Each structure stands twice: as C-alpha cells, then as structure tokens.
Amino acid sequence: MKSVKRLAESAEDSDLYHEFNATLEFDYYNSMMINTADEDGNYVDLGGEFPLEENEHFNKLPVNTQMSNIQVPTNVYNKDPNILNAIYNTEALNDVFISNFQKDPTLTWQYFGSSTGFFRIYPGIKWTPDSNGVVAFDCRNRNWYIQAATSPKDIIIMVDISGSMKGLKMTIAKHTINTILDTLGENDFVNVIAYTDYVRYVEPCFRGTLVQADLDNREHFKVLVEELHVKGEAKIKNAMKESFKILNEARANGQGSMCNQAIMLITDGAMEDFESVFEEFNWPERRVRVFTYLIGREMTFAQNTKWIACNNKGYYTHISTLADVQENVMEYLHVLSRPMVINHDHDIIWTEAYMDSVLFTTKAQSLLLMTSVAMPVFSKKKETLSHGILLGVVGSDIPLMEVMKLAPRYMYKDGKKLKPKPNYNSVDLSEVEWEDTDELLRTAMVKGETGTLSLNIRASVDKGKRPLYLTNEYFYTNIDDTPFSFGMALTKGHGKLMFMGNVSVEEGEVSHNYPQHRLEIVTYCETDIDPAHRKYSQLQAAIRYLLGKEPDLECDEVLLSQTLFDAVVTAPLEAYWNTLMLNDRVEPGVETAFLGTRSGLMRPRSEFQSKMLSEDDCSLCRKFLTPADKDNLFTIDHFPLWYRLAVENIHSSCFLFVAHHQKSSSVLEDPKETRFFLLLPVQDLSCYLVDNNGFVMLSKERSEHTFLQSQFILSFLFFRVSLFDYQAMCKTGHHHASSARPLLSVLFLSLTRCFCVSVRFLLDFNLCGLWHSDYFVDAHKQKKVDALQPCDTAYPGFMYDPSVREANSLIKCGRCQKMFVVQQIPDSNLVLVVTQAYCDCSRQYGAILLEPKEIKYILHILSSKMLPPAGCLQPQILQGGTSNKSLSQLKSRTSPLLLRVIFLRDSNSSL
C-alpha cells in the first residue's frame, strides 16, 4: 500500500505545478508503436527503440524495467491535447515505479489509469492488438479503476424502446446500456427497465429489486438487451416512478450499496412534464441523481432532457454515433466521484481475486490469479478544488502466489488450444462450505474476526470423482490494513503429530542423493523475493540455507527439518528393497513400491517388474511416479490421491486399492489392450471387484457395469452425492453425438495376478474432462467445435454404505431373474460382487453418465446467481424445483457487502 500511496502523491504533485498547454508537442513511447519501423526502416511516430528483455519475475514476458510506456485505446486520439498534457504530467511516475520495485522486489505491475483514457504501465511492454489491429482495452472500464474512482452505487437503466427508436438509434442505445454495465463492479447493484406505454423489466424475475452487478449478471443483462425490439409510444413517467420506487425501497430496507443512487435515462426525446414525479420521489433532498443520454442526431427535445439531468444533480450528454458512446458514458463517473474528490477521500481499495485475461490476451502463460490495490488521484489546484476533478487512478497488481499454482484449473481446451476462461467466478463462501448452514464461518470471516471452528464437511478428490466425508478445522483472522480475511482449513488430526529428530545437513544430503530418492516440487524457500536467489532450485536453496551460505533466504525451517529427518530415517528402505530384488523375494505381480511423507519426500522403486511380465504389462509402471506423472507426485498445492485416501481412511489397518488408467480412451474400447482376471472358475457366474466409490477394478464381463451401478443405488448399497463446479465451461451450441460412458466402465481395468498376493498401487487417470467440462473437450474428432462459455455444473459421486457388510437380492430383468450377492472384503476398501451371468439386464437399466450437467437456474423463482449476496437479497439455488429455505428467510440475511474473503485450504483439502 505504501507503493500505491507514493504513486498517488507523485501524480498529484506533478499536476499541481503543471500548466495546461493546448499546443504542447510531446513524443512518448506508445506501447503499440514501439520497436516498429516503416517501409524505409525508420521508427514510426510515437514508436522508437524501446529495449525489452524477458523477465522471469513477470512471467517471462519481454519488459523494460527501466521505463514505463503508454497504452491508448483505439477509440481515443493519441495526440489529443488533454492526452498529451496528462502523459507529460505523469512522466514523474517513472522514477517512483523504479524506486518502488527496488524497495519491494515482490511487486509486479504498477500503473496509472488516466481519466482521459490512457494507461501508463510499468514495466514497459509491447502491447499486442487483436486480430483486427484494435486495442479495445480501456483502463476506465477495469474493476480497480471503477472501485477507486467512485463509491458503490445503485443504478437503474431506463431505455426507451418506442417506435421512434428504430434503426441506428436502437443500436446506439443498446451499446450505451452495455457500456454503462461495463462500468459497474461487484460492489454495485443494477436493474434494467425498458419502456414504451408500459413498464417492462428486461428480466421479469428481477421485478422491483436490484441485483448485484457481478460479471454473470452483467452478461445476462447484455443478452436480454440484444433481444429488445421497438414498438409503441414512449411514456416515461410510469417508468420513472417505478425506478424511484426501487431505489427508495432499497435505501429504506438497508439493501443495495447503501451509497450512491442514480437513474440512467436513454431516450431520443422527453416530451412529458416530470416535475410532479421529482417532487414526489426526489425533491428536495435529490438523493437520486438522474443522468440523461439523448440518442440520435435530432436536438428537438434536447432542452427537456437536459433539464431532467440538471435538476437532479446529474449530467446530460448527446450521443449521435456509436463512436460517441464510450467517452460520453464515462462522464457520469466523474460526477459521482466529485464528493469524494472535494473531500479528498484517498480510500485505498482492494479488488476481489480475478484472472486477468484482458491485459495479455495473446499470452495465456502470463495469466495470474491476483488482486489489485488502487487509489484515486485528485487535482489539488486551488482554482479547481471545488470542481472535484479526478485525474485518474494508480494501482498495483498483487498475485496470490500460492493460489496462483492452481491456475490450470482456470484454463480450458478449445480444440487443441489452451485458452484462458472468459472470467474467473468469485463465489460466496457459503457455496464453498456447503455444511456451514448457520453461516458461522461466513459471518465471522466477513466481520474480520479471529477464531477457530470445526465442521463435518463433504469434500472431493480424484478431480471430483470421489467424494469424502471429513471433519475440518478452520482457522481464520483478519489481514490488517486490508478488507480481507484469511482462512485455512485443515483435516482434523492430519499434521498435528510430526516425527522430529536431530539430523545434520550432511546426513540428509547424503540420504537424498541416493539414486532412487526424489525431493518433490514443494516450496521450502522463497527464491522469488531477491533476484539473486532466482537461479537456485528448491533443493539448492534449501541446502545453501541450512549450511549458512544464504542466511537471507526466507525458508520454512520446520518443514526443512522434517524433510531431513524423513530422508535419514527412510534411507534403510532402499537397502531392504535391494535385498528383496537380489534374493528374488518380490511378490508376483508387484511392479512398483514407493513411500511418501507429508514433508514432500518420495522414495519410489520401479525395478520390481517380474520377468514374466510382458513389455505391454510394464507400460504403466514406466510412467508411474516419474517427473511427468504430476497427478501422483507431491506438489505445492497437491497431495496425490493414494496419499490422501490413505491418511484420511478412518480404518488405519485397511489396505486401499486405487484404480489407475492411461489418459488414452482406447483401453476402454480395444479388448486387446484390456487385461482380464477371472476371480472364480464358475462359468455361470460373473464376478466383480468394486471400490468404495463404485468403480470396477476387476471384472470379466463389461456389459453388466451399468446394471450393477443401477442396482447398487436402488438397493441403497451406494448412495449418491451431488458435487458442484462453479468454474465450469459449457457448450453454447448443439451437442454432437458423444461417447459418454457409464460410470462403472470408466475405470475398467483388471489386475494381472492373483488378488490375494498382489498389492498393487494403481493411480487415477486424467479423465477430468468427463467430470468437469472446463478441463477437456471431447478427444474424438469433431466436424464443428461448439463455443464454450462459463457456467455452473453439478456432477455425481457415489459412496458405499459401510454398514452393509453383506447383502443379496433377486432382480427381474424382462423374462428372466438375476441374483446377486455383495460382500465387503475385510481390511480393504473393496466390495466383491457375484451375479448370475445368463440373465442380461443391460437393456432395462440406463447408463449413469459421467458428464456433468449444467445447472439451469429457475428464473421465475429468484436464483442466487442472478441476485446480490447476503446483505441485499440472497435467494436460493433450486435443484429439481426444491429448496430448503423460504424466500422470507433469505430476505432476512444481512452482512457487510464491501469486504472480501481470501479462503485457503491446506493441500490435503480441495477448494
């Protein structure tokens, strides 16, 4: 925050001593023009040589850390006198940018967004336009700018859709609405009303209320606005009364932003007398500002439209072309910022966490999960102090370094390309912790309290395929000088006890240097703070720190000590494995043995393959626990599945069996690549081994998988658990024929040796796309790739009822009957299923699909994705038309709106 304050002070001081020069000529580095030459080899105007060097701290982007440069949107004239004077005026920020970065090397992007439209960014970069050569980025539309420049606001947009608005006028009006929506953020509330001779809400389910202006709601309004058609005669008075009623009721009931309120009137003329409406609803306090936008070239009714704005503390603008929209809409922000400017309220704002997919649209690898801290910049000149002039906003991006490691979750595949998602959805904490039904955790964190809480929760592992019921302990506190609270969830008991011992660095180093030992990708030391430390790997940094060669390194001493201890005490395991191999005492069928500890240490041994195993049989073990096998290694944000299932198994003596599958789907369809094992040598019986989440591990018959899963559910041996993904991507077009598979056939894999003597740890495969459509586009070739858009999805999980030790049943399948017997296998997570083979039930029971289903919110009953969070009005998500909360209960929920929550789990829990 100190860095941002220094920027604001420098910008205001520079403006204080600058005299405007209408004829100023000033060459600056335009980020689009730099290093660009014309046909004669000369640098183009506003270009010039601008050295760029790849910098690892800035995600390996080519940057210039000695200078900032300027980005100007295509719709803004880059040599306008106001632009040139403001750019010249902010040249002093260069020294402050550099000084800030030297004082705090963890800083990333620093910038100044001008109210005139240009954007000064440090370090300087080469800005890449879109495929049409257009730079649509306008800093004034960014959330950090809007939140810093204005206070929270309630907005009603009124648009005239009478017959006189047809053609170009309606096109301009729709663009104006969309531009206004783009200036709103998550602290704002909005509704859109279209009017002719009657009042029409563009979204009927939002009648009489305000909704939070988050990205989903804004995009929803834009879609509905595009569907508006002109007809009838304009009667503004009724629409104006309706707008005032909404805003007055919100203020009286403590809903909405509880700050600024405004009505945006978009029309081609106002013929009625509105004085009586204003006298009834707005005068004399004038708590609601009215901004008017006169559309079209005709000026017949300009005087009436201007009178409305000027008598309600608003602003009047005339928009005759599409090119006029952006700059004219921005004027209302200056008006709303005036009280703050006059009072000189330098409030520092923090945005919610977001993925910046706009700033570097062509460089997906530069995307970071971040929050921005920003501060307004005002004119301090005495002659203009009473006018309340906003110069712009300064800010800096703060990456959430640990959460950033999860960035692949916010990318998706579009054909063969990896693309950033259009938005990162901020979700309410109540949607993350479903079991916090009394909102004890949510309320405490929103209020910035410090404390602990224990909850029985439902989590998922294996990329969402396996649900778990756990007891989590939550630790939370506020973060000083920010609006954030910090929370962390730990699975109860895990990590509370640690084996520690006095181990020297030399002993640990010798132990870890053993050929089969690997120290996995875990952050033991912060090497990114000091540029001189960035050349070290984690292992090198840890050793240099422990030997005292780099005392300035910031390292986790407890974690390092634990890792050294683990390395020493597990070293004899290598000798034991060698003895087994030399004496030919490895049990048949065992391919790999391994050990993993909580500190991130791994000891794998993959040379156990029996000579009897063929080359194809060993194909899986060669990849197993190699550096490429990311899903099954310890990483900074991830405990592998086999480790999680083991440590969270309530029966400590139980053997856990986890199915492993290659990424290719061919193994499911090509019998030549599938290994089978017949459990019982009886021809009229079919035998299966199923794990506690319903996945078949051993089987001879594949046609029965759907039947088995259906009957398990009907017989209550397995119960279904619904899980949700609020960061999914869904297809917008028609779905092509897909190869969706029944649940139990997905992990269909057979063991190669006798089950009783083989303990084979197999790993989960990466079919996350079948469960989360945002990870994966169907691998089969498509004639047409459907467009994807952000959505919410629900997907199923299954758990075995451990109270059922043994069961049997007789099921009718058409003209025959089928008996099956189910029995738990002692000391394991497996269930043995034996069925009669001669009765085919596959036609009677439909497949249980893996693919998630998009949640279609029921709009005629208010849905939480279209309404403000608790604090204004919090409706329910409806699943299948049911709800466990009444609307009256939901209306009563209140909490502060402007606070943000950072919520992290440990790597042993999924967020």
Side-chain angles (χ1 to χ4, degrees):
M1 291 192 296
K2 291 181 180 179
S3 299
V4 174
K5 288 180 180 178
R6 285 192 288 266
L7 290 172
E9 290 171 0
S10 176
E12 290 181 350
D13 289 342
S14 297
D15 174 74
L16 180 61
Y17 301 108
H18 174 74
E19 293 293 332
F20 182 83
N21 182 359
T23 60
L24 177 66
E25 294 184 3
F26 175 67
D27 288 334
Y28 59 91
Y29 285 108
N30 187 306
S31 59
M32 269 197 56
M33 308 294 188
I34 57 172
N35 302 329
T36 303
D38 58 20
E39 295 179 355
D40 298 326
N42 301 317
Y43 287 116
V44 299
D45 191 25
L46 299 182
E49 184 179 1
F50 193 81
L52 297 173
E53 185 176 347
E54 190 176 280
N55 191 304
E56 186 174 353
H57 183 66
F58 294 92
N59 274 44
K60 298 184 179 181
L61 286 174
V63 299
N64 186 328
T65 56
Q66 300 303 313
M67 196 176 300
S68 64
N69 59 6
I70 305 296
Q71 178 268 338
V72 183
T74 300
N75 65 316
V76 176
Y77 178 44
N78 58 25
K79 287 193 174 182
D80 181 275
N82 291 316
I83 293 283
L84 290 178
N85 275 267
I87 293 175
Y88 177 81
N89 195 26
T90 58
E91 281 290 291
L93 292 179
N94 269 317
D95 292 338
V96 185
F97 286 143
I98 296 172
S99 175
N100 282 343
F101 190 48
Q102 290 174 345
K103 291 177 180 177
D104 185 0
T106 64
L107 286 176
T108 56
W109 307 103
Q110 303 175 68
Y111 41 80
F112 170 77
S114 172
S115 60
T116 59
F118 76 83
F119 181 60
R120 181 181 289 276
I121 184 171
Y122 173 87
I125 62 169
K126 172 71 174 178
W127 202 280
T128 305
D130 63 20
S131 57
N132 298 317
V134 174
V135 176
F137 176 88
D138 191 323
C139 63
R140 296 169 296 179
N141 286 337
R142 303 297 285 169
N143 210 13
W144 52 265
Y145 185 99
I146 296 167
Q147 290 186 37
T150 64
S151 301
K153 49 196 171 291
D154 302 333
I155 300 291
I156 300 292
I157 302 175
M158 288 174 47
V159 57
D160 181 354
I161 57 169
S162 63
S164 63
M165 288 286 289
K166 66 181 179 180
L168 179 60
K169 288 183 180 179
M170 197 63 213
T171 301
I172 296 174
K174 290 179 178 179
H175 186 41
T176 302
I177 295 173
N178 291 343
T179 305
I180 293 173
L181 290 172
D182 285 338
T183 65
L184 304 181
E186 295 199 354
N187 293 333
D188 305 318
F189 293 83
V190 67
N191 207 335
V192 181
I193 293 176
Y195 69 88
T196 53
D197 50 355
Y198 66 94
V199 177
R200 171 188 170 186
Y201 287 86
V202 295
E203 177 50 81
C205 84
F206 297 163
R207 176 175 294 275
T209 189
L210 292 165
V211 298
Q212 187 181 16
D214 59 19
L215 182 59
D216 288 339
N217 288 348
R218 299 199 306 268
E219 293 302 317
H220 182 67
F221 276 126
K222 288 179 182 180
V223 171
L224 297 175
V225 165
E226 286 302 313
E227 298 173 357
L228 292 176
H229 300 286
V230 299
K231 62 178 179 180
E233 182 182 355
K235 299 289 184 181
I236 302 179
K237 185 175 291 186
N238 290 336
M240 190 70 73
K241 287 182 178 180
E242 184 74 10
S243 299
F244 276 116
K245 287 179 181 178
I246 294 173
L247 295 174
N248 290 342
E249 287 178 6
R251 183 173 60 251
N253 295 331
Q255 298 175 343
S257 69
M258 295 299 294
C259 196
N260 292 311
Q261 291 189 322
I263 295 173
M264 309 298 200
L265 175 60
I266 302 170
T267 181
D268 64 345
M271 295 179 290
E272 300 173 70
D273 180 12
F274 303 101
E275 191 166 345
S276 61
V277 177
F278 299 138
E279 286 177 346
E280 179 181 358
F281 292 99
N282 204 37
W283 292 352
E285 293 87 357
R286 291 177 171 81
R287 292 176 177 172
V288 179
R289 297 178 185 267
V290 182
F291 297 87
T292 56
Y293 302 88
L294 183 64
I295 305 298
R297 297 185 180 278
E298 298 179 11
M299 300 288 291
T300 307
F301 303 104
Q303 193 61 36
N304 286 356
T305 310
K306 187 174 183 179
W307 181 89
I308 293 172
C310 293
N311 283 275
N312 290 277
K313 299 171 68 174
Y315 194 88
Y316 158 80
T317 59
H318 178 216
I319 303 177
S320 57
T321 66
L322 286 170
D324 297 336
V325 172
Q326 181 75 27
E327 291 302 312
N328 282 289
V329 166
M330 290 298 169
E331 292 295 338
Y332 96 87
L333 291 176
H334 298 163
V335 175
L336 290 184
S337 68
R338 281 175 187 167
M340 185 172 61
V341 178
I342 293 172
N343 294 329
H344 243 59
D345 294 334
H346 281 91
D347 292 333
I348 293 180
I349 66 96
W350 296 72
T351 67
E352 70 281 355
Y354 66 97
M355 296 290 288
D356 197 341
S357 58
V358 177
L359 190 56
F360 305 109
T361 54
T362 60
K363 299 178 177 66
Q365 74 275 12
S366 70
L367 294 178
L368 302 175
L369 184 61
M370 64 179 67
T371 179
S372 296
V373 55
M375 187 175 180
V377 178
F378 309 133
S379 173
K380 296 194 297 186
K381 294 179 179 179
K382 292 183 179 179
E383 61 270 23
T384 59
L385 193 61
S386 61
H387 299 172
I389 296 178
L390 175 73
L391 300 177
V393 173
V394 292
S396 179
D397 291 339
I398 302 177
L400 304 178
M401 298 303 292
E402 300 302 316
V403 185
M404 184 184 70
K405 303 301 189 299
L406 300 175
R409 292 179 55 195
Y410 309 108
M411 310 289 285
Y412 73 100
K413 283 189 176 180
D414 188 358
K416 295 182 178 180
K417 295 182 179 180
L418 188 66
K419 294 184 177 181
K421 291 187 182 180
N423 69 303
Y424 165 74
N425 294 326
S426 296
V427 298
D428 195 276
L429 186 59
S430 60
E431 291 180 339
V432 177
E433 297 302 326
W434 304 316
E435 289 76 8
D436 186 24
T437 54
D438 295 329
E439 297 196 347
L440 299 176
L441 178 63
R442 183 186 189 276
T443 302
M445 293 192 69
V446 169
K447 290 183 177 180
E449 297 175 355
T450 298
T452 62
L453 182 69
S454 180
L455 287 175
N456 295 319
I457 65 106
R458 174 180 53 186
S460 64
V461 294
D462 198 9
K463 299 185 177 68
K465 295 190 287 292
R466 298 176 182 272
L468 289 175
Y469 283 91
L470 307 170
T471 299
N472 272 2
E473 292 180 324
Y474 299 86
F475 305 85
Y476 52 87
T477 188
N478 69 304
I479 302 177
D480 293 338
D481 300 322
T482 78
F484 291 99
S485 288
F486 177 83
M488 184 166 62
L490 298 173
T491 303
K492 187 174 182 179
H494 181 58
K496 282 195 171 182
L497 299 177
M498 294 187 294
F499 290 101
M500 303 291 289
N502 294 323
V503 176
S504 67
V505 178
E506 290 76 11
E507 286 179 293
E509 188 175 1
V510 170
S511 298
H512 107 13
N513 279 333
Y514 197 88
Q516 290 301 319
H517 168 267
R518 284 203 302 272
L519 195 64
E520 300 305 337
I521 308 171
V522 177
T523 299
Y524 298 90
C525 300
E526 293 292 345
T527 59
D528 194 49
I529 297 176
D530 188 338
H533 296 153
R534 292 172 189 163
K535 60 186 177 182
Y536 298 134
S537 67
Q538 281 297 310
L539 182 58
Q540 291 171 332
I543 293 174
R544 293 184 68 84
Y545 173 79
L546 291 170
L547 293 176
K549 296 181 179 179
E550 296 285 354
D552 295 334
L553 270 169
E554 292 188 14
C555 299
D556 188 332
E557 293 189 25
V558 174
L559 183 58
L560 282 174
S561 299
Q562 186 181 355
T563 306
L564 286 174
F565 180 78
D566 291 348
V568 172
V569 299
T570 61
L573 195 60
E574 301 283 356
Y576 171 71
W577 285 336
N578 284 336
T579 301
L580 291 180
M581 294 178 62
L582 292 173
N583 296 324
D584 200 18
R585 290 168 52 193
V586 179
E587 294 179 345
V590 175
E591 294 179 355
T592 303
F594 54 93
L595 176 142
T597 72
R598 182 177 177 274
S599 64
L601 181 141
M602 278 285 298
R603 287 189 182 275
R605 175 56 64 91
S606 57
E607 290 85 3
F608 283 160
Q609 297 86 8
S610 170
K611 295 180 180 179
M612 295 186 297
L613 295 180
S614 67
E615 183 72 14
D616 290 338
D617 289 332
C618 290
S619 60
L620 293 180
C621 59
R622 280 198 299 272
K623 180 177 180 284
F624 183 38
L625 296 181
T626 62
D629 192 14
K630 300 295 185 184
D631 288 339
N632 304 307
L633 299 177
F634 291 93
T635 65
I636 190 170
D637 66 300
H638 167 75
F639 278 101
L641 176 64
W642 51 265
Y643 183 89
R644 288 209 58 189
L645 292 180
V647 298
E648 298 191 4
N649 175 33
I650 60 175
H651 305 292
S652 58
S653 62
C654 178
F655 287 96
L656 294 173
F657 296 84
V658 186
H660 176 275
H661 197 285
Q662 290 176 312
K663 289 186 178 181
S664 171
S665 60
S666 62
V667 72
L668 297 174
E669 300 173 0
D670 188 352
K672 296 179 181 179
E673 297 190 25
T674 304
R675 292 177 281 179
F676 298 94
F677 175 65
L678 183 61
L679 290 174
L680 297 175
V682 181
Q683 294 189 3
D684 59 348
L685 295 179
S686 297
C687 305
Y688 308 87
L689 272 182
V690 184
D691 72 10
N692 58 310
N693 294 122
F695 295 109
V696 172
M697 296 190 64
L698 280 166
S699 172
K700 175 186 177 183
E701 306 294 335
R702 295 170 58 198
S703 62
E704 299 288 340
H705 294 171
T706 303
F707 159 75
L708 278 173
Q709 184 65 73
S710 300
Q711 293 312 311
F712 287 163
I713 296 172
L714 292 175
S715 302
F716 301 102
L717 298 178
F718 278 74
F719 56 92
R720 183 174 180 135
V721 179
S722 293
L723 301 170
F724 302 94
D725 182 3
Y726 294 109
Q727 309 292 341
M729 298 291 292
C730 298
K731 296 177 181 177
T732 57
H734 297 289
H735 293 274
H736 63 281
S738 70
S739 56
R741 301 175 180 85
L743 178 63
L744 286 184
S745 66
V746 173
L747 291 183
F748 180 80
L749 186 66
S750 297
L751 301 180
T752 59
R753 292 294 178 264
C754 178
F755 169 73
C756 298
V757 296
S758 299
V759 179
R760 181 178 181 186
F761 289 90
L762 302 174
L763 304 174
D764 65 298
F765 65 103
N766 187 15
L767 267 183
C768 54
L770 294 176
W771 287 81
H772 301 283
S773 58
D774 55 322
Y775 289 104
F776 182 93
V777 172
D778 198 331
H780 295 283
K781 292 183 179 179
Q782 306 173 40
K783 294 182 179 179
K784 182 179 180 181
V785 178
D786 294 323
L788 300 175
Q789 66 178 11
C791 65
D792 295 348
T793 58
Y795 54 97
F798 298 89
M799 295 189 71
Y800 182 74
D801 185 353
S803 64
V804 181
R805 301 285 181 178
E806 185 175 346
N808 60 78
S809 180
L810 189 67
I811 299 169
K812 292 184 178 180
C813 298
R815 297 181 179 180
C816 64
Q817 292 183 332
K818 193 180 199 70
M819 176 178 286
F820 70 85
V821 177
V822 180
Q823 187 172 32
Q824 283 191 19
I825 296 178
D827 299 324
S828 78
N829 65 328
L830 302 178
V831 178
L832 174 64
V833 181
V834 181
T835 71
Q836 292 176 309
Y838 55 80
C839 184
D840 184 6
C841 294
S842 59
R843 294 185 179 181
Q844 278 74 19
Y845 300 96
I848 298 175
L849 301 180
L850 286 172
E851 292 184 351
K853 293 184 179 180
E854 181 179 359
I855 300 174
K856 298 291 186 179
Y857 294 100
I858 303 174
L859 291 179
H860 68 275
I861 301 178
L862 302 178
S863 139
S864 71
K865 293 303 289 185
M866 295 298 175
L867 281 175
C872 180
L873 178 63
Q874 178 72 53
Q876 66 270 39
I877 297 178
L878 295 180
Q879 301 290 341
T882 61
S883 173
N884 60 355
K885 293 185 179 180
S886 68
L887 191 58
S888 61
Q889 288 175 312
L890 293 162
K891 285 183 178 179
S892 66
R893 294 172 59 188
T894 59
S895 65
L897 292 173
L898 305 182
L899 295 179
R900 304 292 181 196
V901 175
I902 299 176
F903 189 77
L904 300 179
R905 294 182 188 271
D906 72 330
S907 300
N908 197 35
S909 299
S910 300
L911 177 59

